[in-house]
Amino acid sequence: MWGGTGGFMTPQTGIGIGGFGAIKAQDREPKFLHSARWLWAIIPPMIEIDTEFQAVTLALGGGGVKCYTQIGVLKVLERAGVRLRGIAGTSAGGIVAALYAAGYSPAEIQQFHESLNLRQLLKRRRGEGPGLFGLRRAKEAFRRVLADRTFADLDIPLALTSVDLTTGQAHPILDGSVLDALMIAVAIPGLFPPTPRGGQRLLDGGILHPVPVAAARALAPECPVVAVALFPPYEEWDQHPLPNLLKSLPFFRYFSRLPAVKAFGLYVQAMDISQRMLAELRLEVDRPEVLIRPEVHHLGLFDLVNIPAVVQMGEVATEKSLIQYHQKTAQASQTLRHYPLSQVPYSISKHVP
């Protein structure tokens, strides 16, 4: 659900903003049939996080509403006592990254998202740049929580990814206004207008770095990287058909039978395939020590979803990953870098024609 009356408190003052009434966490708990929440009951006595894994950097990939799972990832990492030395975000993953780095708890981030109306946020306003949707309404919403914070004001080092539309080069954003940087990070090409910054025209960094492992590693090179990828591994593509992205876009579904819209849909689907392959190849090159893949492959970018249920999918995936991590560390004395949790199981380049 997108709307709601979820209370949201600022970490600095504890004062609720937006006029939303307080809601108890248990009132939001979904009856998620595929949950493995019971796994957490057996994790504390099983897992002893080794010294190297007590501090990590986190790389949050893009994926629209799929990124709600990353809130669940943060919840589980907090329960396990894992400290973040840095956090990097691409596209919508940058939203979760920026709010967490600003001091908001996973529960507060979830409540903030539940208070938003995505359809209203996407509406264009007169004078916005080239794009099917606008960002001015979204900027107003995020200003309530980020205000005038700069990267220097954050509790955790943050990197947001972008691409220079003129040079085609990656441009990680590490300073200046967090709000302005976030509007750049979420600007999916064609859907949202590019944002000028220092003479550059910048867009969503997912064009080159769908999962920002390199950016996360640069924040604390001595720490292992935990990455969250919101697409299935290459060897499972045949089991997870691509979702129809256009059906999740406001107003597009009403024109889905028009030949021009069908043609555009084919183009978008082809680009999605290319993006997934790029993401797999980047993961093979960047090799995060831990790779978490929540099972949200069926969701489109802007689908209307039950947010608590999607958050819980992230919790389930992370809990399973921690159990796998314990099993690996219990079998050998090597550190996490020598026995990564979930790397690409084979060289994808050997399987691509």
Side-chain angles (χ1 to χ4, degrees):
M1 49 190 170
W2 286 108
T5 56
F8 187 62
M9 312 296 288
T10 63
Q12 288 75 18
T13 64
I15 299 174
I17 61 177
F20 306 111
I23 284 186
K24 296 180 180 179
Q26 58 265 35
D27 295 335
R28 288 285 188 182
E29 190 70 23
K31 295 181 180 179
F32 187 55
L33 296 180
H34 300 290
S35 171
R37 179 168 295 281
W38 59 271
L39 290 174
W40 188 250
I42 64 173
I43 287 179
M46 290 177 58
I47 288 186
E48 294 181 2
I49 301 296
D50 68 18
T51 303
E52 185 177 7
F53 194 63
Q54 287 178 349
V56 304
T57 57
L58 187 61
L60 302 180
V65 299
K66 300 176 186 180
C67 291
Y68 296 142
T69 59
Q70 296 164 352
I71 300 172
V73 172
L74 289 170
K75 288 183 177 183
V76 174
L77 292 180
E78 282 192 353
R79 290 200 295 259
V82 178
R83 294 180 294 109
L84 295 190
R85 292 285 304 279
I87 184 168
T90 286
S91 195
I95 297 174
V96 177
L99 293 180
Y100 193 72
Y104 291 103
S105 70
E108 290 171 328
I109 297 172
Q110 179 176 335
Q111 288 180 337
F112 172 68
H113 280 289
E114 290 171 351
S115 74
L116 300 176
N117 185 317
L118 183 63
R119 294 293 191 254
Q120 292 298 319
L121 290 183
L122 294 176
K123 288 184 177 180
R124 286 177 54 85
R125 284 185 173 171
R126 184 172 299 177
E128 295 202 58
L132 294 175
F133 309 112
L135 284 173
R136 289 184 182 174
R137 295 173 188 267
K139 190 170 185 177
E140 290 174 0
F142 284 102
R143 190 183 302 279
R144 290 185 294 144
V145 289
L146 292 174
D148 58 353
R149 283 184 180 85
T150 67
F151 280 73
D153 299 324
L154 299 176
D155 295 347
I156 302 172
L158 170 70
L160 296 176
T161 64
S162 72
V163 171
D164 188 328
L165 195 57
T166 302
T167 66
Q169 294 179 316
H171 184 82
I173 305 177
L174 303 167
D175 56 19
S177 165
V178 177
L179 178 61
D180 290 344
L182 184 58
M183 293 302 99
I184 292 171
V186 300
I188 301 172
L191 297 184
F192 300 102
T195 300
R197 187 178 193 262
Q200 299 171 305
R201 297 176 68 205
L202 302 178
L203 284 166
D204 184 343
I207 302 171
L208 294 179
H209 293 275
V211 185
V213 176
R217 197 181 300 283
L219 293 173
E222 73 281 4
C223 292
V225 176
V226 176
V228 183
L230 302 175
F231 48 85
Y234 177 72
E235 67 273 16
E236 296 181 10
W237 282 14
D238 59 333
Q239 304 171 32
H240 304 284
L242 292 171
N244 188 328
L245 298 182
L246 293 187
K247 286 186 176 180
S248 70
L249 297 179
F251 75 78
F252 258 95
R253 59 184 179 273
Y254 300 115
F255 306 99
S256 59
R257 295 185 179 182
L258 295 177
V261 174
K262 288 182 178 180
F264 180 65
L266 292 175
Y267 173 77
V268 170
Q269 188 172 17
M271 292 303 297
D272 192 27
I273 294 171
S274 296
Q275 190 73 1
R276 286 193 182 194
M277 180 58 71
L278 170 64
E280 289 292 343
L281 294 173
R282 286 292 331 180
L283 287 173
E284 184 173 320
V285 171
D286 295 333
R287 300 187 70 80
E289 280 69 28
V290 176
L291 180 57
I292 300 171
R293 293 186 190 257
E295 296 184 3
V296 287
H297 322 309
H298 58 289
L299 297 179
L301 287 177
F302 303 117
D303 282 355
L304 296 177
V305 298
N306 182 301
I307 294 177
V310 178
V311 169
Q312 195 172 30
M313 292 177 186
E315 293 185 66
V316 170
T318 310
E319 289 166 357
K320 289 181 178 179
S321 295
L322 286 179
I323 289 179
Q324 293 172 3
Y325 167 76
H326 167 75
Q327 292 171 342
K328 284 185 177 293
T329 54
Q331 292 170 0
S333 61
Q334 283 86 345
T335 62
L336 181 61
R337 282 193 182 277
H338 295 142
Y339 281 84
L341 166 65
S342 180
Q343 293 194 9
V344 179
Y346 59 89
S347 175
I348 190 173
S349 58
K350 295 180 181 179
H351 296 263
V352 178

